[in-house]
């Protein structure tokens, strides 16, 4: 018996974490008339039962290539047009559309969130290990990516964990002193871990009565989340839907700068803001409606005439004649020689995607010392830097002359050097404050002068480096760039001089002065 809209809202009330289960199963309801590929009996059964839920999700799936072609047909495409990289697709999956059952009941034994539903083994999350059945190469590359390790790189790093706690913790104020109260897990999940990814854990089952009968639903913590480094119930890392939004999974969405802006827009990672004011961003804004974002491979000068984020970092690019300019990659740092943001100084890219293993010579889990000396044993060597730079420059040269590209990279290298020098100046001020006991270095992120120092490298230096790399000069000068670097140094000096005055200990409650007698 169909469920009306009122019943649906009541059955899947938002008070329960397992209400999200309903949203996933919504995707199972869709008439298959728009599908060009045969649908499995299991998927058809899902659709027949859930046809009244959330038509928008179903409309998305109907538009997807998953609904319109089979893995076997996708494997027969010419190599450069092929999107399925696994050489062997299981027989039971190869000849049918990739539908509800093919994703949400795949690998049930590996999923701790698998539960019995209408005599089927269904799991809520779909993970890179599931997608790897058809997209093995992409899944393997993504697992070697800093993004897939984003949860551990943040939470397992004592320095970054302190920063996260300083940002998300609650301040309790008494007089002129404040006490930091550690943030609760939901606050962490709703802030930094929305992008870095949560740890999704199964906390048992919850029995619920619905108009369709009694069902047991999994209770999950760290959910909902589609962060790039999400720890999944099957043990895998990451979420493909961070870039390939479910349930359409369209390549044109992944190629859109707006998709990257979900996590790369704030002052700590101003990549999207820089792109939006760059010449490339201006061309995208004006001309994108004329471009072909669906083509595989992506032909420079024919499908598009200016880069998006995916152009430079991920996509398979060819000339109009089919000559390969850059291979497709889901290890986003394949074309990145240096790490520009998130750390105190720019530095060569880490060798391992697990950056929590890095230790500098002072024992801190950072790729450089506070004075800029690199932990070279954990970073790529000069040969690999040159190889990655060459790959990226080949992308640039598909639109620009060699002189233009060389000149741009020369400016960029200089910006790295000067922004690092301005961070070092701020660090010397900070070290003096620590040495003179004007600040306590047991926590690098909790005092006013320390917060100014953090802004120097986490906001302003990042803005300069990314602006130079991506031709967005506006954000490299006055809007959080070089002006802010110089102003912040003066602010730190002036504040330290204030702290050095008698009785001006930071955070201390100052004695009240008696009123003057007239």
């Amino acid at each position: 018996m169909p469920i009306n809209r009122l019943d649906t809202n009541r059955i899947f009330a938002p008070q329960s974490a397992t209400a999200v289960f309903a949203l996933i199963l919504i995707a199972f309801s869709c008439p298959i008339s728009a599908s060009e590929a045969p649908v499995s009996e299991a998927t058809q059964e899902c659709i027949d039962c859930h046809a009244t839920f959330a038509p928008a999700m179903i409309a998305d799936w109907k538009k997807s290539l998953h609904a319109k072609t089979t893995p076997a047909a996708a494997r027969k495409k010419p190599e450069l047009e092929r999107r399925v990289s696994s050489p062997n697709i299981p027989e039971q999956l190869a000849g049918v559309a990739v539908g509800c059952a093919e994703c949400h009941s795949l690998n049930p034994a590996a999923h701790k969130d698998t539960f019995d539903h209408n005599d089927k083994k269904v799991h809520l999350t779909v993970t890179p290990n599931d997608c790897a059945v058809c997209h093995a190469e992409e899944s393997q590359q993504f697992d070697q990516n800093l993004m897939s390790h984003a949860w551990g790189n943040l939470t397992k790093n004592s320095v970054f964990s302190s920063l996260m706690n300083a940002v998300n913790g609650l301040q309790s104020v008494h007089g002129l002193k404040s006490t930091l109260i550690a943030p609760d897990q939901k606050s962490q999940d709703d802030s930094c871990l929305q992008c870095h990814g949560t740890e999704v854990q199964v906390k048992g089952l919850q029995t619920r009565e619905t108009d369709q009968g009694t069902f047991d639903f999994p209770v999950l913590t760290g959910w909902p989340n589609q962060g790039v480094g999400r720890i999944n119930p099957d043990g895998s890392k990451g979420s493909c839907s961070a870039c390939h939004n479910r349930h359409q999974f369209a390549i044109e969405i992944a190629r859109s700068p707006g998709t990257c802006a979900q996590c790369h827009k704030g002052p700590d990672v101003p990549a999207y803001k820089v792109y939006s004011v760059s010449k490339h961003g201006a061309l995208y804004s004006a001309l994108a409606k004329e471009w072909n974002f669906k083509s595989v491979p992506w032909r420079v000068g024919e499908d598009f005439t200016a880069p998006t984020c995916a152009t430079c970092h991920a996509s398979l690019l060819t000339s109009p004649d089919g000559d390969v300019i850059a291979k497709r990659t889901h290890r986003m740092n394949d074309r990145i020689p240096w790490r520009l943001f998130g750390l105190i100084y720019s530095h060569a890219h880490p060798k391992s995607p697990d950056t929590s293993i890095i230790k500098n010579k002072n024992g801190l889990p950072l790729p450089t010392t506070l004075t800029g000396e690199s932990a070279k044993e954990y970073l790529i060597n000069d040969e690999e830097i040159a190889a990655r730079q060459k790959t990226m420059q080949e992308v640039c040269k598909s639109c620009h002359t060699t002189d233009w590209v060389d000149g741009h990279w020369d400016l960029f290298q200089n910006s790295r050097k000067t922004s690092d020098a301005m961070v070092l100046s701020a660090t010397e001020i900070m070290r003096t404050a620590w040495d003179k006991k004007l600040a306590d270095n047991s926590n690098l992120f909790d005092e006013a002068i320390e917060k100014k120092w953090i802004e120097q490298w986490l906001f302003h230096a990042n803005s300069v480096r990314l602006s130079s790399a991506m031709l967005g000069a506006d954000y490299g000068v006055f809007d959080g760039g070089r002006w802010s670097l110089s102003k912040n140094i003066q602010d730190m000096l002036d504040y330290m001089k204030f702290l050095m005055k008698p009785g001006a200990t930071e955070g201390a409650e100052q004695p009240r002065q008696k009123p003057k007698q007239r």
Side-chain angles (χ1 to χ4, degrees):
M1 180 176 65
I3 302 175
N4 62 38
R5 181 61 55 192
L6 179 60
D7 290 336
T8 302
N9 290 335
R10 176 164 55 83
I11 292 171
F12 299 107
Q15 286 85 351
S16 169
T18 58
V20 182
F21 166 69
L23 299 180
I24 297 296
L25 289 187
I26 281 166
F28 296 177
S29 58
C30 176
I32 301 301
S33 58
S35 176
E36 299 172 5
V39 176
S40 69
E41 182 179 342
T43 287
Q44 188 64 57
E45 186 176 342
C46 296
I47 292 167
D48 291 342
C49 185
H50 294 277
T52 58
F53 300 154
M57 281 189 181
I58 306 316
D60 273 348
W61 182 78
K62 288 168 62 176
K63 295 175 184 176
S64 73
L65 284 181
H66 284 169
K68 295 179 180 180
T69 192
T70 67
R75 279 289 308 163
K76 294 178 180 178
K77 291 277 188 180
E79 185 176 356
L80 288 181
E81 297 177 22
R82 197 178 302 154
R83 308 187 194 193
V84 172
S85 60
S86 300
N88 299 306
I89 308 296
E91 184 178 354
Q92 68 274 21
L93 301 177
V96 296
V98 181
C100 321
E102 284 68 39
C103 293
H104 287 278
S105 62
L106 191 65
N107 302 320
H111 277 263
K112 294 181 180 179
D113 57 330
T114 295
F115 62 102
D116 292 318
H117 185 69
N118 284 344
D119 299 323
K120 299 283 191 300
K121 296 289 186 182
V122 176
H123 52 79
L124 192 61
T125 58
V126 176
T127 73
N129 281 358
D130 299 324
C131 299
V133 172
C134 294
H135 303 283
E137 184 175 324
E138 291 79 7
S139 179
Q140 183 181 29
Q141 289 173 343
F142 186 77
D143 192 55
Q144 299 169 355
N145 186 355
L146 258 67
M147 288 183 176
S148 70
H149 288 72
W151 178 85
N153 289 344
L154 178 62
T155 62
K156 295 181 181 180
N157 184 306
S158 58
V159 174
F160 293 158
S161 292
S162 296
L163 174 58
M164 184 167 63
N165 290 339
V167 172
N168 296 330
L170 299 179
Q171 296 282 352
S172 175
V173 178
H174 303 281
L176 293 180
K177 289 186 177 181
S178 67
T179 301
L180 180 66
I181 302 172
D184 59 75
Q185 190 59 49
K186 288 183 179 179
S187 294
Q188 305 279 48
D189 291 351
D190 195 39
S191 54
C192 304
L193 298 183
Q194 278 288 344
C195 285
H196 281 257
T198 58
E199 185 177 18
V200 180
Q201 295 183 330
V202 182
K203 296 299 183 181
L205 295 173
Q206 181 182 61
T207 301
R208 302 184 62 203
E209 296 289 340
T210 75
D211 285 357
Q212 298 298 300
T214 302
F215 294 95
D216 290 333
F217 300 103
V219 178
L220 303 180
T221 59
W223 188 262
N225 183 267
Q226 55 183 13
V228 292
R230 187 182 72 195
I231 306 301
N232 298 305
D234 66 349
S236 64
K237 298 179 178 70
S239 169
C240 300
S241 60
C243 300
H244 298 275
N245 297 44
R246 61 183 189 273
H247 286 91
Q248 190 173 157
F249 306 104
I251 196 170
E252 57 266 34
I253 295 174
R255 286 172 169 173
S256 167
T259 295
C260 304
Q262 295 171 107
C263 296
H264 293 271
K265 192 175 184 179
D268 58 326
V269 194
Y272 178 80
K273 293 194 296 186
V274 169
Y275 176 81
S276 67
V277 300
S278 72
K279 182 61 69 176
H280 293 156
L283 291 169
Y284 170 81
S285 178
L287 303 176
K289 59 183 176 294
E290 302 171 6
W291 296 351
N292 181 357
F293 284 87
K294 296 183 179 182
S295 178
V296 176
W298 217 9
R299 297 163 296 182
V300 179
E302 185 166 326
D303 295 323
F304 65 97
T305 52
T308 69
C309 315
T311 308
C312 296
H313 295 288
S315 293
L316 168 61
L317 305 178
T318 70
S319 70
D321 294 331
D323 297 325
V324 175
I325 297 168
K327 296 179 180 179
R328 179 193 297 118
T329 181
H330 281 65
R331 190 175 75 158
M332 303 303 177
N333 47 275
D334 277 352
R335 307 175 193 173
I336 302 178
W338 299 279
R339 203 172 175 200
L340 302 182
F341 61 80
L343 282 301
I344 301 173
Y345 301 94
S346 64
H347 56 276
H349 213 278
K351 293 178 183 177
S352 170
D354 180 4
T355 62
S356 67
I357 65 175
I358 295 176
K359 291 286 186 294
N360 65 25
K361 75 172 188 178
N362 296 325
L364 290 174
L366 297 172
T368 69
T369 63
L370 295 187
T371 54
E373 184 178 344
S374 294
K376 291 185 178 180
E377 63 269 33
Y378 295 99
L379 309 178
I380 61 175
N381 59 27
D382 291 343
E383 183 179 357
E384 179 63 18
I385 288 174
R388 294 187 185 188
Q389 178 172 326
K390 184 177 185 297
T391 301
M392 181 66 87
Q393 287 178 332
E394 288 302 313
V395 176
C396 302
K397 290 176 183 178
S398 64
C399 293
H400 299 285
T401 64
T402 298
D403 287 346
W404 181 282
V405 173
D406 289 346
H408 166 68
W409 279 75
D410 185 52
L411 292 173
F412 163 60
Q413 294 286 24
N414 187 66
S415 293
R416 286 183 53 237
K417 178 181 177 181
T418 56
S419 62
D420 283 344
M422 292 293 275
V423 171
L424 179 59
S425 296
T427 303
E428 291 301 327
I429 299 171
M430 193 66 252
R431 293 177 69 195
T432 300
W434 286 326
D435 290 344
K436 292 182 175 295
K437 308 300 181 183
L438 301 174
D440 179 6
N441 66 355
S442 62
N443 184 332
L444 305 182
F445 309 108
D446 62 343
E447 299 178 71
I449 192 169
E450 291 172 337
K451 291 179 184 293
K452 290 179 180 292
W453 171 66
I454 295 161
E455 290 180 354
Q456 186 80 347
W457 52 267
L458 187 60
F459 295 170
H460 311 321
N462 286 352
S463 185
V464 170
R465 296 168 194 148
L466 288 173
S467 295
S468 184
M470 299 168 58
L471 301 172
D474 187 45
Y475 282 96
V477 187
F478 290 109
D479 199 339
R482 290 174 174 84
W483 168 265
S484 298
L485 283 174
S486 59
K487 178 180 181 298
N488 202 42
I489 285 177
Q490 192 60 50
D491 287 345
M492 291 180 69
L493 285 170
D494 291 346
Y495 191 65
M496 190 168 69
K497 292 175 184 176
F498 162 75
L499 293 177
M500 293 176 69
K501 293 181 179 180
T505 304
E506 187 175 80
E509 186 169 356
Q510 302 300 312
R512 296 179 181 178
Q513 294 183 348
K514 294 182 180 180
K516 294 181 179 180
Q517 299 294 325
R518 292 179 181 243

